[in-house]
Amino acid sequence: MKLRLGLLWILIACICSGCSDEKVQQNDTSSSTCEVFAMDTYMTLTADGENVDKALNEAKARIEELDNILSTGNEESEIALLNKTGSGELSEDSFYLLEKSLEISDKTDGAFLPTIYPLMEAWGFPTKEFNVPEESTIESLLPLLDVGQVEIDSDKKSVSFKKAGMKLDFGGIAKGYTSDEIMKIFKENGIESGIVNLGGNVHTLGTKADGSLWKVGIQNPSGGEDYLGVLEIADKAVITSGGYERYFEEDGIIYHHIIDPDTGFPADNELQSVTIVSDNGLLADGLSTALFVMGLDKAIDFWRNNNTEFDVIMMTKDNVVYVSEGISDSFSTSYDMKLIER
Ligand code: ADP
Ligand code: MG
């Protein structure tokens, strides 16, 4: 469906059934947008090209498929059932995520742990019945995070927890993996230009249809200026973690949803947010969570040791923005900016 109507923007309901909220936006190109609520967040998918409607419908179906497999809140999901029984065979998707998340745990020295779920429950994040757990409760749960106690069989694609009560949570990488999968679907459908925003996690395919770079505004954790800054990029995932996304307040203290596996408490260091820029959405998502847990100095060291795989933008609590060398020329901000050199 290619309609060219100059610069006029028209929104019309899409004739496709699968993507019910789909709109067709027509400016000087034919691009379509699809909105989905899944994984507890709003998602917007936009693409441009001949097969765009088919691509968006397939992408929406894939998002829903992954949500049904991975959701810890849905009692029927594969991961919820595994968390109940402690062992089982997994789908290709879950097994892949488990293997990748164990690799990220290893690489980040345990800052990222897919076994974090018992603590998420103790803090009440899954049910939103928030609660500051007793120190003794946290102490008793910490041993359940030991990824060494997760036994996997790659042939059977099965997993078994060696300690009763261990539970998996792919919340720290699910959206990054999902955006990788959407990019795959876009490419399979011959799409060369697209952008998705999965609750603040952005992933771009190619450039804009007119050949210019995508401008991605990075959410401001301090609530000050509109954006922390703007990044001009093509073909990258731009994924942010921060304590401002999901949190509760008790006795004047803010408790957020990214847990430091060493303490069992919400990560508390000089960082307000970490944005990872990478070709790989899954990696970007895992590392945004992990580097937020690490804190500024460790995160800088980690980037220096792995700088071919990603770039990073970090905002500290005193509103200084640290940007790694690989993207500093593509990034603009009105905040004080410090360059992280290789
Ligand atoms: P968001 O999902 O809000 O975009 P993140 O990607 O940082 O933000 O993921 C946070 C989620 O990751 C939490 O809601 C929880 O499910 C999970 N999580 C929290 N702490 C950790 C951790 N240390 N390692 C791995 N996953 C974590
Ligand atoms: Mg993450």
Side-chain angles (χ1 to χ4, degrees):
M1 186 163 32
K2 259 211 150 98
L3 293 165
R4 291 179 184 272
L5 290 175
L7 290 170
L8 193 62
W9 279 62
I10 302 173
L11 297 176
I12 54 170
C14 179
I15 47 167
C16 315
S17 54
C19 189
S20 57
D21 292 332
E22 188 173 342
K23 308 278 194 300
V24 177
Q25 297 181 338
Q26 299 150 35
N27 47 11
D28 53 348
T29 65
S30 69
S31 77
S32 296
T33 294
C34 174
E35 286 169 12
V36 185
F37 185 83
M39 300 184 178
D40 215 14
T41 198
Y42 288 96
M43 305 184 167
T44 310
L45 324 179
T46 302
D48 192 289
E50 293 229 355
N51 294 326
V52 64
D53 298 326
K54 179 169 166 278
L56 289 175
N57 283 323
E58 284 177 23
K60 186 182 182 215
R62 183 75 174 122
I63 291 169
E64 284 164 356
E65 178 183 38
L66 289 172
D67 198 10
N68 282 332
I69 294 173
L70 303 175
S71 166
T72 48
N74 167 3
E75 283 188 20
E76 302 296 308
S77 83
E78 187 177 311
I79 295 303
L81 291 172
L82 170 69
N83 286 344
K84 228 181 267 173
T85 58
S87 66
E89 282 185 25
L90 297 180
S91 60
E92 290 271 335
D93 287 312
S94 298
F95 195 77
Y96 180 76
L97 282 171
L98 179 56
E99 281 188 317
K100 288 289 161 198
S101 61
L102 292 173
E103 274 173 41
I104 295 175
S105 299
D106 194 38
K107 207 177 163 105
T108 61
D109 210 10
F112 184 96
L113 291 180
T115 45
I116 202 75
Y117 203 59
L119 277 166
M120 300 311 292
E121 288 187 312
W123 286 92
F125 283 103
T127 55
K128 299 191 171 71
E129 286 166 22
F130 302 116
N131 153 64
V132 179
E134 298 288 333
E135 292 266 1
S136 58
T137 306
I138 288 182
E139 286 302 315
S140 70
L141 294 174
L142 287 177
L144 300 180
L145 308 191
D146 179 2
V147 283
Q149 304 298 313
V150 178
E151 208 169 72
I152 61 173
D153 182 327
S154 305
D155 294 330
K156 292 190 185 137
K157 299 214 182 315
S158 65
V159 57
S160 133
F161 304 144
K162 295 289 127 200
K163 273 194 187 139
M166 291 182 78
K167 292 179 180 183
L168 294 182
D169 174 8
F170 294 131
I173 49 170
K175 281 181 276 166
Y177 176 59
T178 303
S179 70
D180 285 337
E181 289 296 292
I182 298 170
M183 294 300 124
K184 229 192 256 175
I185 290 169
F186 281 3
K187 285 182 202 161
E188 283 163 10
N189 282 285
I191 306 284
E192 291 176 355
S193 170
I195 185 165
V196 300
N197 184 337
L198 313 186
N201 289 357
V202 174
H203 203 143
T204 61
L205 175 66
T207 59
K208 285 201 236 172
D210 65 7
S212 62
L213 294 171
W214 297 103
K215 286 193 179 122
V216 179
I218 294 165
Q219 206 173 335
N220 189 341
S222 75
E225 307 272 324
D226 278 356
Y227 291 114
L228 179 161
V230 176
L231 194 60
E232 292 196 60
I233 37 121
D235 277 317
K236 295 277 181 214
V238 181
I239 295 189
T240 302
S241 285
Y244 60 93
E245 286 175 70
R246 287 166 205 254
Y247 61 86
F248 67 97
E249 195 174 335
E250 197 173 294
D251 298 332
I253 302 175
I254 287 187
Y255 298 97
H256 62 73
H257 71 140
I258 300 175
I259 304 295
D260 181 343
D262 278 344
T263 63
F265 277 76
D268 187 13
N269 52 50
E270 56 285 271
L271 294 176
Q272 278 200 79
S273 73
V274 173
T275 300
I276 304 288
V277 183
S278 171
D279 299 339
N280 182 330
L282 186 156
L283 181 78
D285 200 357
L287 293 184
S288 70
T289 309
L291 270 61
F292 184 78
V293 169
M294 285 179 197
L296 184 64
D297 292 342
K298 276 195 191 164
I300 290 174
D301 283 346
F302 187 87
W303 177 74
R304 288 200 172 118
N305 291 325
N306 297 276
N307 63 45
T308 56
E309 288 178 83
F310 72 100
D311 272 289
V312 64
I313 300 165
M314 296 184 276
M315 189 187 225
T316 58
K317 285 178 182 158
D318 51 6
N319 289 349
V320 178
V321 179
Y322 287 75
V323 182
S324 62
E325 218 180 318
I327 45 164
S328 56
D329 289 344
S330 326
F331 178 70
S332 54
T333 181
S334 52
Y335 286 96
D336 281 348
M337 183 171 130
K338 288 204 172 145
L339 185 66
I340 311 173
E341 293 178 336
R342 287 191 184 92

